[in-house]
C-alpha cells in the first residue's frame, strides 16, 4: 500500500515526526519533491536531527530510503547529511537515488543568491539553496539528470557548453558576475558521479515491483499546500508541487496506488518567508508562542530564522486538506497550547466587508482580515497522555471544533515531539 504524509499548511507542521513514526511500519520511504531548502526535525533514540534531503526513514534498519525523480537533488548536501547521521551512530541507511532525478548545480545556488540580492526588498525570502533556478532549468530542459552522468563524455561536454552560454550572458549583463567555465562544470558533474554512482536506481521500476509485492511505501512531502506553485499563495510559493497527487509523478508510481493521504496540520500556524498570512500575530503574543512552539521554539530547521506565528486557520487548513485529498488529518503540536487561557481560532476571512470561508487567490488574500473565535484553553500539560478520552475536556473540544470546521477526520493527535507521543483517534467524520 502507498500512503503519503504531506503538509496542509505552510510547512513545518511536523511531517518529519509523523513520517518517522509511520516509518516503523513502512518498507520504503520516498522523497518526491523539493530539495534541501526546508528541513524536518526528528527526535528519536539516536538524538535530535534536522534532515533536509534524506528521507525520514533513514533511522530504521528495515526501510529503504529513496530520493525520487521529483526532488531537487543536491548531492554534496545529501552526502554530508548521510555522513552526519552515520557519525552519530545511526547505521548506514539503505539509500537509492532515482536515475531520473536532476541535480542542483553550484550555479543554481549562485543564481538564487544573485537574484535575491538584485530583488533586495522585493525578494521572495528564498533560502538560497538554488531551488527556483533548479526547477526553472528542469522545465526549460537545460537541467542535468543523474542518468546523463553516465552518457558519452563528448555529449555531456557539448551540453555543458550549450547551457553555460545562456547562463554567462545573464551573469555578465544582469548580475555583473564572473562567467562559468565549462571545465569547472564538467569536473563538478564528475565529482557528483563518483558520489552518487553506488546509489543510482531505476526508481519507478523498483517501486512498481514493490507495489506488486504488497510492500508498504510512504511518500514524504516537504512544505505544505499553501506553498504549492499552483494552489498556494503564488508567487510566495516553492518551485515544486507540494501536493500528494504529485507524489505519483515525483516517485514514478500510478496515482491510483496512493490509498491514504495523511495531511499534517499544526494546532497553531507558522510560516517562513514573505507572503499573506491572515491569522498572523505579532509582538509579545507571537514571541511567546514562538518560544514555546515545536520542540525548542519555532525557528527554521535550515536557516535558524524565526518563523512567523499565528493562530490556527480553519479557512487555510480546510483548503489545504482539500487540495491534498486528505483521508486523515494528523493534528500536531497540540501540547504547546496548554499555557493559554483562551485560544483564538480563525474561522473566516473578511474581505471588503464580506466574510468568506473559501481560501481566495493571492490578491484577495492580501486584503483578508481574520474572523476569530476564542475557545477556552485547558491550562495543563497534556504530554504523556495516550488515550484521547484522557485529554482535558477543553482540549478535546478544541480538536473537535477544528475537525468540524475543516471537515476532514483528525485520526491522529500529536502531543509531543517524540516518536511515541501520539494519540490515535476513532474516525468520526
Ligand atoms: P516538518 O518540516 O513538517 O517536519 O516540521 P518541522 O520539523 O520543521 O517542525 C516541527 C517541529 O515540531 C519539530 O521541532 C518537531 O520536533 C516538533 N514537533 C512535532 N510534533 C510535535 C508535537 O506534537 N509537540 C511538540 N511540542 N513538538 C512537536
Amino acid at each position: 500500500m502507498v500512503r503519503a504524509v504531506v503538509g496542509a499548511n505552510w510547512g513545518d507542521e511536523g511531517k518529519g515526526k509523523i513520517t518517522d513514526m509511520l516509518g516503523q511500519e513502512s518498507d520504503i520511504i520516498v522523497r518526491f519533491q523539493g530539495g534541501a531548502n526546508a528541513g524536518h526535525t526528528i527526535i528519536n533514540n539516536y538524538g535530535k536531527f534536522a534532515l533536509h534531503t534524506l528521507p525520514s526513514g533513514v533511522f530504521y534498519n528495515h526501510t529503504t530510503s529513496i530520493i525520487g525523480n521529483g526532488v531537487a537533488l543536491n548531492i554534496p548536501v545529501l552526502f554530508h547529511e548521510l555522513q552526519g547521521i552515520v557519525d552519530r551512530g545511526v547505521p548506514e541507511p539503505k539509500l537509492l537515488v532515482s536515475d531520473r532525478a536532476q541535480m542542483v548545480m553550484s550555479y543554481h545556488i549562485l543564481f538564487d543568491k544573485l537574484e535575491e540580492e538584485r530583488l533586495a526588498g522585493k525578494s521572495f525570502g528564498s533560502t538560497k539553496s538554488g531551488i527556483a533556478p533548479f526547477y526553472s532549468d528542469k522545465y526549460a530542459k537545460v537541467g542535468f539528470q543523474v542518468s546523463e552522468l553516465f552518457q558519452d563524455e563528448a555529449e555531456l561536454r557539448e551540453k555543458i557548453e550549450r547551457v553555460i552560454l545562456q547562463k554567462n550572458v545573464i551573469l555578465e549583463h544582469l548580475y555583473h558576475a564572473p562567467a562559468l567555465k565549462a571545465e569547472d562544470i564538467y569536473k563538478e558533474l564528475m565529482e557528483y558521479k563518483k558520489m552518487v554512482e553506488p546509489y543510482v536506481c531505476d526508481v519507478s521500476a523498483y517501486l512498481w515491483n514493490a507495489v506488486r509485492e504488497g510492500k508498504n511505501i510512504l511518500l514524504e512531502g516537504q512544505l505544505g499546500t499553501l506553498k504549492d506553485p499552483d494552489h498556494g499563495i503564488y508567487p510566495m510559493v516553492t518551485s515544486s508541487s507540494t501536493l500528494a497527487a504529485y507524489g505519483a509523478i515525483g516517485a514514478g508510481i500510478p496515482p491510483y496506488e496512493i490509498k491514504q493521504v495523511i495531511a499534517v496540520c499544526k494546532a497553531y500556524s507558522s510560516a517562513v518567508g514573505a507572503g499573506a498570512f491572515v491569522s498572523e500575530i505579532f509582538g509579545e503574543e507571537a514571541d511567546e508562542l514562538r518560544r514555546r512552539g515545536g520542540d525548542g521554539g519555532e525557528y527554521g530547521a535550515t536557516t535558524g530564522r524565526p518563523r512567523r506565528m499565528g493562530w490556527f486557520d480553519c479557512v487555510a487548513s480546510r483548503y489545504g486538506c482539500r487540495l491534498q485529498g486528505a483521508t486523515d488529518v494528523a493534528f500536531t503540536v497540540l501540547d504547546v497550547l496548554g499555557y493559554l487561557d483562551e485560544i483564538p481560532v480563525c474561522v473566516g476571512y473578511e474581505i471588503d466587508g464580506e466574510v468568506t470561508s473559501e481560501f481566495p487567490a493571492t490578491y484577495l488574500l492580501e486584503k483578508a482580515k481574520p474572523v476569530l473565535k476564542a475557545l477556552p484553553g485547558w491550562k495543563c500539560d497534556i504530554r504523556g497522555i495516550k488515550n484521547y478520552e484522557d485529554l482535558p475536556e477543553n482540549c478535546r473540544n478544541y480538536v473537535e471544533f477544528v475537525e468540524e470546521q475543516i471537515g476532514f477526520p483528525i485520526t491522529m493527535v500529536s502531543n509531543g515531539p517524540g516518536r511515541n507521543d501520539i494519540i490515535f483517534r476513532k474516525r468520526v467524520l
Side-chain angles (χ1 to χ4, degrees), residues 14 16-22 24 41-45 47-48 60 294-295 332-333 335 383-384 386 413-423:
K17 177 238 160 99
I18 301 294
T19 308
D20 182 55
M21 181 193 92
L22 295 174
Q24 285 166 69
T41 312
I42 295 169
I43 298 167
N44 55 32
N45 39 336
K48 182 172 178 173
Y60 291 105
D295 178 62
T332 57
V333 208
D335 50 303
R383 281 204 194 181
K386 297 285 175 206
V413 174
S414 173
N415 59 337
R419 208 178 250 183
N420 300 316
D421 298 325
I422 192 84
I423 300 170

PDB file of all heavy atoms in Angstrom, residues 14 16-22 24 41-45 47-48 60 294-295 332-333 335 383-384 386 413-423:
ATOM      1  N   GLY A  14       5.206  19.367  11.224  1.00  0.00           N
ATOM      2  CA  GLY A  14       5.594  18.175  11.982  1.00  0.00           C
ATOM      3  C   GLY A  14       5.516  16.923  11.127  1.00  0.00           C
ATOM      4  O   GLY A  14       5.335  15.816  11.644  1.00  0.00           O
ATOM      5  N   GLY A  16       7.915  15.451   9.570  1.00  0.00           N
ATOM      6  CA  GLY A  16       9.064  14.580   9.834  1.00  0.00           C
ATOM      7  C   GLY A  16       8.757  13.623  10.970  1.00  0.00           C
ATOM      8  O   GLY A  16       9.035  12.422  10.892  1.00  0.00           O
ATOM      9  N   LYS A  17       8.146  14.162  12.018  1.00  0.00           N
ATOM     10  CA  LYS A  17       7.813  13.320  13.168  1.00  0.00           C
ATOM     11  C   LYS A  17       6.789  12.252  12.787  1.00  0.00           C
ATOM     12  O   LYS A  17       6.921  11.084  13.149  1.00  0.00           O
ATOM     13  CB  LYS A  17       7.280  14.210  14.305  1.00  0.00           C
ATOM     14  CG  LYS A  17       6.842  13.427  15.521  1.00  0.00           C
ATOM     15  CD  LYS A  17       5.395  13.686  15.844  1.00  0.00           C
ATOM     16  CE  LYS A  17       4.817  12.604  16.710  1.00  0.00           C
ATOM     17  NZ  LYS A  17       4.761  12.943  18.110  1.00  0.00           N
ATOM     18  N   ILE A  18       5.784  12.633  12.021  1.00  0.00           N
ATOM     19  CA  ILE A  18       4.742  11.675  11.621  1.00  0.00           C
ATOM     20  C   ILE A  18       5.345  10.619  10.686  1.00  0.00           C
ATOM     21  O   ILE A  18       5.071   9.422  10.824  1.00  0.00           O
ATOM     22  CB  ILE A  18       3.544  12.395  10.950  1.00  0.00           C
ATOM     23  CG1 ILE A  18       2.921  13.419  11.912  1.00  0.00           C
ATOM     24  CG2 ILE A  18       2.493  11.398  10.443  1.00  0.00           C
ATOM     25  CD1 ILE A  18       2.260  12.839  13.151  1.00  0.00           C
ATOM     26  N   THR A  19       6.204  11.045   9.774  1.00  0.00           N
ATOM     27  CA  THR A  19       6.854  10.084   8.863  1.00  0.00           C
ATOM     28  C   THR A  19       7.744   9.134   9.651  1.00  0.00           C
ATOM     29  O   THR A  19       7.735   7.919   9.423  1.00  0.00           O
ATOM     30  CB  THR A  19       7.719  10.827   7.814  1.00  0.00           C
ATOM     31  OG1 THR A  19       6.920  11.809   7.203  1.00  0.00           O
ATOM     32  CG2 THR A  19       8.249   9.886   6.766  1.00  0.00           C
ATOM     33  N   ASP A  20       8.502   9.691  10.561  1.00  0.00           N
ATOM     34  CA  ASP A  20       9.396   8.867  11.384  1.00  0.00           C
ATOM     35  C   ASP A  20       8.584   7.824  12.157  1.00  0.00           C
ATOM     36  O   ASP A  20       8.948   6.652  12.225  1.00  0.00           O
ATOM     37  CB  ASP A  20      10.165   9.785  12.338  1.00  0.00           C
ATOM     38  CG  ASP A  20      11.144   9.024  13.206  1.00  0.00           C
ATOM     39  OD1 ASP A  20      11.990   8.311  12.645  1.00  0.00           O
ATOM     40  OD2 ASP A  20      11.050   9.138  14.448  1.00  0.00           O
ATOM     41  N   MET A  21       7.446   8.283  12.685  1.00  0.00           N
ATOM     42  CA  MET A  21       6.578   7.369  13.439  1.00  0.00           C
ATOM     43  C   MET A  21       6.014   6.270  12.531  1.00  0.00           C
ATOM     44  O   MET A  21       6.075   5.086  12.864  1.00  0.00           O
ATOM     45  CB  MET A  21       5.451   8.203  14.034  1.00  0.00           C
ATOM     46  CG  MET A  21       4.467   7.466  14.847  1.00  0.00           C
ATOM     47  SD  MET A  21       3.068   8.567  15.083  1.00  0.00           S
ATOM     48  CE  MET A  21       2.049   8.105  13.723  1.00  0.00           C
ATOM     49  N   LEU A  22       5.506   6.667  11.363  1.00  0.00           N
ATOM     50  CA  LEU A  22       4.910   5.676  10.454  1.00  0.00           C
ATOM     51  C   LEU A  22       5.979   4.825   9.775  1.00  0.00           C
ATOM     52  O   LEU A  22       5.671   3.767   9.217  1.00  0.00           O
ATOM     53  CB  LEU A  22       4.050   6.378   9.395  1.00  0.00           C
ATOM     54  CG  LEU A  22       2.823   7.108   9.942  1.00  0.00           C
ATOM     55  CD1 LEU A  22       2.129   7.894   8.855  1.00  0.00           C
ATOM     56  CD2 LEU A  22       1.837   6.129  10.593  1.00  0.00           C
ATOM     57  N   GLN A  24       8.023   3.036  11.147  1.00  0.00           N
ATOM     58  CA  GLN A  24       8.097   1.730  11.823  1.00  0.00           C
ATOM     59  C   GLN A  24       7.414   0.646  11.017  1.00  0.00           C
ATOM     60  O   GLN A  24       7.835  -0.498  11.001  1.00  0.00           O
ATOM     61  CB  GLN A  24       7.451   1.826  13.218  1.00  0.00           C
ATOM     62  CG  GLN A  24       8.328   2.561  14.203  1.00  0.00           C
ATOM     63  CD  GLN A  24       7.602   2.962  15.485  1.00  0.00           C
ATOM     64  OE1 GLN A  24       7.251   2.124  16.288  1.00  0.00           O
ATOM     65  NE2 GLN A  24       7.410   4.245  15.671  1.00  0.00           N
ATOM     66  N   THR A  41      12.567  18.163  11.496  1.00  0.00           N
ATOM     67  CA  THR A  41      13.256  17.895  12.740  1.00  0.00           C
ATOM     68  C   THR A  41      12.716  16.588  13.300  1.00  0.00           C
ATOM     69  O   THR A  41      11.503  16.408  13.385  1.00  0.00           O
ATOM     70  CB  THR A  41      13.011  19.036  13.744  1.00  0.00           C
ATOM     71  OG1 THR A  41      13.253  20.254  13.065  1.00  0.00           O
ATOM     72  CG2 THR A  41      13.917  18.921  14.945  1.00  0.00           C
ATOM     73  N   ILE A  42      13.614  15.701  13.629  1.00  0.00           N
ATOM     74  CA  ILE A  42      13.199  14.389  14.117  1.00  0.00           C
ATOM     75  C   ILE A  42      13.923  14.083  15.416  1.00  0.00           C
ATOM     76  O   ILE A  42      15.141  14.286  15.529  1.00  0.00           O
ATOM     77  CB  ILE A  42      13.521  13.310  13.062  1.00  0.00           C
ATOM     78  CG1 ILE A  42      12.670  13.570  11.820  1.00  0.00           C
ATOM     79  CG2 ILE A  42      13.257  11.907  13.600  1.00  0.00           C
ATOM     80  CD1 ILE A  42      13.059  12.758  10.645  1.00  0.00           C
ATOM     81  N   ILE A  43      13.135  13.615  16.373  1.00  0.00           N
ATOM     82  CA  ILE A  43      13.737  13.236  17.651  1.00  0.00           C
ATOM     83  C   ILE A  43      13.468  11.757  17.861  1.00  0.00           C
ATOM     84  O   ILE A  43      12.318  11.326  17.790  1.00  0.00           O
ATOM     85  CB  ILE A  43      13.130  14.067  18.801  1.00  0.00           C
ATOM     86  CG1 ILE A  43      13.445  15.549  18.562  1.00  0.00           C
ATOM     87  CG2 ILE A  43      13.663  13.613  20.160  1.00  0.00           C
ATOM     88  CD1 ILE A  43      12.671  16.484  19.421  1.00  0.00           C
ATOM     89  N   ASN A  44      14.525  10.986  18.062  1.00  0.00           N
ATOM     90  CA  ASN A  44      14.330   9.546  18.302  1.00  0.00           C
ATOM     91  C   ASN A  44      15.437   9.048  19.207  1.00  0.00           C
ATOM     92  O   ASN A  44      16.160   9.842  19.817  1.00  0.00           O
ATOM     93  CB  ASN A  44      14.268   8.793  16.962  1.00  0.00           C
ATOM     94  CG  ASN A  44      15.488   9.068  16.106  1.00  0.00           C
ATOM     95  OD1 ASN A  44      16.577   9.275  16.637  1.00  0.00           O
ATOM     96  ND2 ASN A  44      15.295   9.105  14.811  1.00  0.00           N
ATOM     97  N   ASN A  45      15.573   7.726  19.305  1.00  0.00           N
ATOM     98  CA  ASN A  45      16.557   7.199  20.268  1.00  0.00           C
ATOM     99  C   ASN A  45      18.008   7.530  19.920  1.00  0.00           C
ATOM    100  O   ASN A  45      18.899   7.362  20.734  1.00  0.00           O
ATOM    101  CB  ASN A  45      16.362   5.693  20.479  1.00  0.00           C
ATOM    102  CG  ASN A  45      16.019   4.973  19.200  1.00  0.00           C
ATOM    103  OD1 ASN A  45      15.493   5.586  18.260  1.00  0.00           O
ATOM    104  ND2 ASN A  45      16.326   3.702  19.117  1.00  0.00           N
ATOM    105  N   GLY A  47      18.906  10.647  18.970  1.00  0.00           N
ATOM    106  CA  GLY A  47      19.089  12.058  19.274  1.00  0.00           C
ATOM    107  C   GLY A  47      18.145  12.934  18.463  1.00  0.00           C
ATOM    108  O   GLY A  47      17.116  12.472  17.970  1.00  0.00           O
ATOM    109  N   LYS A  48      18.542  14.217  18.313  1.00  0.00           N
ATOM    110  CA  LYS A  48      17.706  15.172  17.571  1.00  0.00           C
ATOM    111  C   LYS A  48      18.407  15.494  16.249  1.00  0.00           C
ATOM    112  O   LYS A  48      19.593  15.829  16.244  1.00  0.00           O
ATOM    113  CB  LYS A  48      17.539  16.449  18.405  1.00  0.00           C
ATOM    114  CG  LYS A  48      16.659  17.493  17.749  1.00  0.00           C
ATOM    115  CD  LYS A  48      16.376  18.648  18.708  1.00  0.00           C
ATOM    116  CE  LYS A  48      15.538  19.705  18.018  1.00  0.00           C
ATOM    117  NZ  LYS A  48      15.092  20.765  18.910  1.00  0.00           N
ATOM    118  N   TYR A  60      15.736   3.816  10.478  1.00  0.00           N
ATOM    119  CA  TYR A  60      15.326   2.423  10.664  1.00  0.00           C
ATOM    120  C   TYR A  60      16.199   1.487   9.836  1.00  0.00           C
ATOM    121  O   TYR A  60      16.577   1.824   8.709  1.00  0.00           O
ATOM    122  CB  TYR A  60      13.880   2.235  10.196  1.00  0.00           C
ATOM    123  CG  TYR A  60      12.879   2.930  11.068  1.00  0.00           C
ATOM    124  CD1 TYR A  60      12.263   4.095  10.639  1.00  0.00           C
ATOM    125  CD2 TYR A  60      12.552   2.413  12.318  1.00  0.00           C
ATOM    126  CE1 TYR A  60      11.329   4.737  11.432  1.00  0.00           C
ATOM    127  CE2 TYR A  60      11.616   3.053  13.116  1.00  0.00           C
ATOM    128  CZ  TYR A  60      11.010   4.213  12.671  1.00  0.00           C
ATOM    129  OH  TYR A  60      10.095   4.838  13.457  1.00  0.00           O
ATOM    130  N   GLY A 294       6.762  24.125  18.855  1.00  0.00           N
ATOM    131  CA  GLY A 294       7.534  22.970  18.376  1.00  0.00           C
ATOM    132  C   GLY A 294       8.324  22.343  19.494  1.00  0.00           C
ATOM    133  O   GLY A 294       7.864  22.232  20.632  1.00  0.00           O
ATOM    134  N   ASP A 295       9.548  21.964  19.186  1.00  0.00           N
ATOM    135  CA  ASP A 295      10.427  21.435  20.214  1.00  0.00           C
ATOM    136  C   ASP A 295      11.617  22.384  20.281  1.00  0.00           C
ATOM    137  O   ASP A 295      12.482  22.336  19.433  1.00  0.00           O
ATOM    138  CB  ASP A 295      10.881  20.024  19.821  1.00  0.00           C
ATOM    139  CG  ASP A 295      11.827  19.480  20.849  1.00  0.00           C
ATOM    140  OD1 ASP A 295      11.417  19.319  22.001  1.00  0.00           O
ATOM    141  OD2 ASP A 295      13.003  19.234  20.501  1.00  0.00           O
ATOM    142  N   THR A 332      -0.974  18.234  14.998  1.00  0.00           N
ATOM    143  CA  THR A 332       0.279  18.164  15.762  1.00  0.00           C
ATOM    144  C   THR A 332       0.508  19.360  16.689  1.00  0.00           C
ATOM    145  O   THR A 332      -0.123  20.412  16.556  1.00  0.00           O
ATOM    146  CB  THR A 332       1.478  18.100  14.785  1.00  0.00           C
ATOM    147  OG1 THR A 332       1.419  19.247  13.945  1.00  0.00           O
ATOM    148  CG2 THR A 332       1.456  16.850  13.920  1.00  0.00           C
ATOM    149  N   VAL A 333       1.454  19.169  17.579  1.00  0.00           N
ATOM    150  CA  VAL A 333       1.968  20.202  18.482  1.00  0.00           C
ATOM    151  C   VAL A 333       0.852  20.812  19.352  1.00  0.00           C
ATOM    152  O   VAL A 333       0.918  21.967  19.750  1.00  0.00           O
ATOM    153  CB  VAL A 333       2.755  21.310  17.711  1.00  0.00           C
ATOM    154  CG1 VAL A 333       3.810  21.932  18.608  1.00  0.00           C
ATOM    155  CG2 VAL A 333       3.471  20.763  16.483  1.00  0.00           C
ATOM    156  N   ASP A 335       0.195  20.038  22.393  1.00  0.00           N
ATOM    157  CA  ASP A 335       0.674  20.236  23.768  1.00  0.00           C
ATOM    158  C   ASP A 335       1.135  21.672  24.017  1.00  0.00           C
ATOM    159  O   ASP A 335       1.009  22.184  25.124  1.00  0.00           O
ATOM    160  CB  ASP A 335       1.822  19.255  24.076  1.00  0.00           C
ATOM    161  CG  ASP A 335       2.905  19.277  23.006  1.00  0.00           C
ATOM    162  OD1 ASP A 335       2.568  19.037  21.824  1.00  0.00           O
ATOM    163  OD2 ASP A 335       4.077  19.540  23.333  1.00  0.00           O
ATOM    164  N   ARG A 383       1.268  16.314  27.627  1.00  0.00           N
ATOM    165  CA  ARG A 383       2.257  15.344  27.149  1.00  0.00           C
ATOM    166  C   ARG A 383       2.145  14.050  27.955  1.00  0.00           C
ATOM    167  O   ARG A 383       1.836  14.074  29.134  1.00  0.00           O
ATOM    168  CB  ARG A 383       3.672  15.896  27.320  1.00  0.00           C
ATOM    169  CG  ARG A 383       4.013  16.861  26.224  1.00  0.00           C
ATOM    170  CD  ARG A 383       5.509  16.944  26.057  1.00  0.00           C
ATOM    171  NE  ARG A 383       5.850  18.105  25.251  1.00  0.00           N
ATOM    172  CZ  ARG A 383       7.093  18.432  24.920  1.00  0.00           C
ATOM    173  NH1 ARG A 383       8.099  17.703  25.342  1.00  0.00           N
ATOM    174  NH2 ARG A 383       7.334  19.485  24.183  1.00  0.00           N
ATOM    175  N   GLY A 384       2.378  12.958  27.345  1.00  0.00           N
ATOM    176  CA  GLY A 384       2.359  11.670  28.045  1.00  0.00           C
ATOM    177  C   GLY A 384       0.993  10.998  27.996  1.00  0.00           C
ATOM    178  O   GLY A 384       0.888   9.802  28.239  1.00  0.00           O
ATOM    179  N   LYS A 386      -2.023   9.058  26.505  1.00  0.00           N
ATOM    180  CA  LYS A 386      -2.031   8.094  25.390  1.00  0.00           C
ATOM    181  C   LYS A 386      -3.424   7.869  24.794  1.00  0.00           C
ATOM    182  O   LYS A 386      -3.550   7.392  23.676  1.00  0.00           O
ATOM    183  CB  LYS A 386      -1.498   6.728  25.871  1.00  0.00           C
ATOM    184  CG  LYS A 386      -0.059   6.756  26.339  1.00  0.00           C
ATOM    185  CD  LYS A 386       0.880   6.837  25.147  1.00  0.00           C
ATOM    186  CE  LYS A 386       2.320   6.993  25.611  1.00  0.00           C
ATOM    187  NZ  LYS A 386       3.151   7.667  24.618  1.00  0.00           N
ATOM    188  N   VAL A 413      -3.533  12.646  16.933  1.00  0.00           N
ATOM    189  CA  VAL A 413      -3.235  13.886  17.647  1.00  0.00           C
ATOM    190  C   VAL A 413      -1.837  13.725  18.226  1.00  0.00           C
ATOM    191  O   VAL A 413      -1.554  12.748  18.917  1.00  0.00           O
ATOM    192  CB  VAL A 413      -4.266  14.119  18.789  1.00  0.00           C
ATOM    193  CG1 VAL A 413      -3.868  15.329  19.626  1.00  0.00           C
ATOM    194  CG2 VAL A 413      -5.676  14.293  18.225  1.00  0.00           C
ATOM    195  N   SER A 414      -0.962  14.671  17.903  1.00  0.00           N
ATOM    196  CA  SER A 414       0.417  14.586  18.377  1.00  0.00           C
ATOM    197  C   SER A 414       0.581  15.508  19.572  1.00  0.00           C
ATOM    198  O   SER A 414       0.312  16.706  19.483  1.00  0.00           O
ATOM    199  CB  SER A 414       1.355  14.979  17.232  1.00  0.00           C
ATOM    200  OG  SER A 414       2.674  15.054  17.695  1.00  0.00           O
ATOM    201  N   ASN A 415       1.015  14.933  20.698  1.00  0.00           N
ATOM    202  CA  ASN A 415       1.123  15.742  21.920  1.00  0.00           C
ATOM    203  C   ASN A 415       2.543  15.749  22.481  1.00  0.00           C
ATOM    204  O   ASN A 415       2.756  15.751  23.679  1.00  0.00           O
ATOM    205  CB  ASN A 415       0.111  15.263  22.969  1.00  0.00           C
ATOM    206  CG  ASN A 415       0.298  13.806  23.351  1.00  0.00           C
ATOM    207  OD1 ASN A 415       0.860  13.020  22.592  1.00  0.00           O
ATOM    208  ND2 ASN A 415      -0.173  13.433  24.533  1.00  0.00           N
ATOM    209  N   GLY A 416       3.501  15.759  21.592  1.00  0.00           N
ATOM    210  CA  GLY A 416       4.906  15.862  21.991  1.00  0.00           C
ATOM    211  C   GLY A 416       5.768  15.534  20.787  1.00  0.00           C
ATOM    212  O   GLY A 416       5.281  14.946  19.819  1.00  0.00           O
ATOM    213  N   PRO A 417       7.052  15.922  20.816  1.00  0.00           N
ATOM    214  CA  PRO A 417       7.891  15.744  19.630  1.00  0.00           C
ATOM    215  C   PRO A 417       8.367  14.307  19.395  1.00  0.00           C
ATOM    216  O   PRO A 417       8.779  13.971  18.287  1.00  0.00           O
ATOM    217  CB  PRO A 417       9.083  16.661  19.901  1.00  0.00           C
ATOM    218  CG  PRO A 417       9.094  16.883  21.361  1.00  0.00           C
ATOM    219  CD  PRO A 417       7.710  16.694  21.873  1.00  0.00           C
ATOM    220  N   GLY A 418       8.306  13.473  20.399  1.00  0.00           N
ATOM    221  CA  GLY A 418       8.868  12.112  20.277  1.00  0.00           C
ATOM    222  C   GLY A 418       8.034  11.187  19.408  1.00  0.00           C
ATOM    223  O   GLY A 418       6.845  11.435  19.169  1.00  0.00           O
ATOM    224  N   ARG A 419       8.683  10.128  18.953  1.00  0.00           N
ATOM    225  CA  ARG A 419       8.063   9.139  18.074  1.00  0.00           C
ATOM    226  C   ARG A 419       6.773   8.556  18.664  1.00  0.00           C
ATOM    227  O   ARG A 419       5.844   8.247  17.951  1.00  0.00           O
ATOM    228  CB  ARG A 419       9.093   8.020  17.933  1.00  0.00           C
ATOM    229  CG  ARG A 419       9.028   7.251  16.689  1.00  0.00           C
ATOM    230  CD  ARG A 419      10.149   6.228  16.688  1.00  0.00           C
ATOM    231  NE  ARG A 419      11.184   6.563  15.718  1.00  0.00           N
ATOM    232  CZ  ARG A 419      12.247   5.800  15.474  1.00  0.00           C
ATOM    233  NH1 ARG A 419      12.442   4.691  16.149  1.00  0.00           N
ATOM    234  NH2 ARG A 419      13.139   6.158  14.577  1.00  0.00           N
ATOM    235  N   ASN A 420       6.751   8.408  19.977  1.00  0.00           N
ATOM    236  CA  ASN A 420       5.596   7.754  20.601  1.00  0.00           C
ATOM    237  C   ASN A 420       4.576   8.725  21.198  1.00  0.00           C
ATOM    238  O   ASN A 420       3.601   8.298  21.810  1.00  0.00           O
ATOM    239  CB  ASN A 420       6.070   6.767  21.676  1.00  0.00           C
ATOM    240  CG  ASN A 420       6.948   5.712  21.047  1.00  0.00           C
ATOM    241  OD1 ASN A 420       6.631   5.187  19.974  1.00  0.00           O
ATOM    242  ND2 ASN A 420       8.086   5.430  21.677  1.00  0.00           N
ATOM    243  N   ASP A 421       4.825  10.007  21.040  1.00  0.00           N
ATOM    244  CA  ASP A 421       3.868  10.999  21.552  1.00  0.00           C
ATOM    245  C   ASP A 421       2.744  11.154  20.542  1.00  0.00           C
ATOM    246  O   ASP A 421       2.671  12.154  19.803  1.00  0.00           O
ATOM    247  CB  ASP A 421       4.549  12.365  21.761  1.00  0.00           C
ATOM    248  CG  ASP A 421       5.654  12.306  22.788  1.00  0.00           C
ATOM    249  OD1 ASP A 421       5.510  11.554  23.760  1.00  0.00           O
ATOM    250  OD2 ASP A 421       6.659  13.014  22.608  1.00  0.00           O
ATOM    251  N   ILE A 422       1.870  10.169  20.520  1.00  0.00           N
ATOM    252  CA  ILE A 422       0.805  10.205  19.516  1.00  0.00           C
ATOM    253  C   ILE A 422      -0.447   9.544  20.084  1.00  0.00           C
ATOM    254  O   ILE A 422      -0.358   8.539  20.789  1.00  0.00           O
ATOM    255  CB  ILE A 422       1.259   9.534  18.195  1.00  0.00           C
ATOM    256  CG1 ILE A 422       0.311   9.813  17.043  1.00  0.00           C
ATOM    257  CG2 ILE A 422       1.503   8.048  18.360  1.00  0.00           C
ATOM    258  CD1 ILE A 422       0.551  11.105  16.361  1.00  0.00           C
ATOM    259  N   ILE A 423      -1.581  10.149  19.798  1.00  0.00           N
ATOM    260  CA  ILE A 423      -2.858   9.590  20.241  1.00  0.00           C
ATOM    261  C   ILE A 423      -3.661   9.255  18.990  1.00  0.00           C
ATOM    262  O   ILE A 423      -3.915  10.139  18.168  1.00  0.00           O
ATOM    263  CB  ILE A 423      -3.627  10.619  21.098  1.00  0.00           C
ATOM    264  CG1 ILE A 423      -2.804  11.005  22.336  1.00  0.00           C
ATOM    265  CG2 ILE A 423      -5.003  10.083  21.486  1.00  0.00           C
ATOM    266  CD1 ILE A 423      -3.366  12.177  23.122  1.00  0.00           C
TER     267      ILE A 423
END
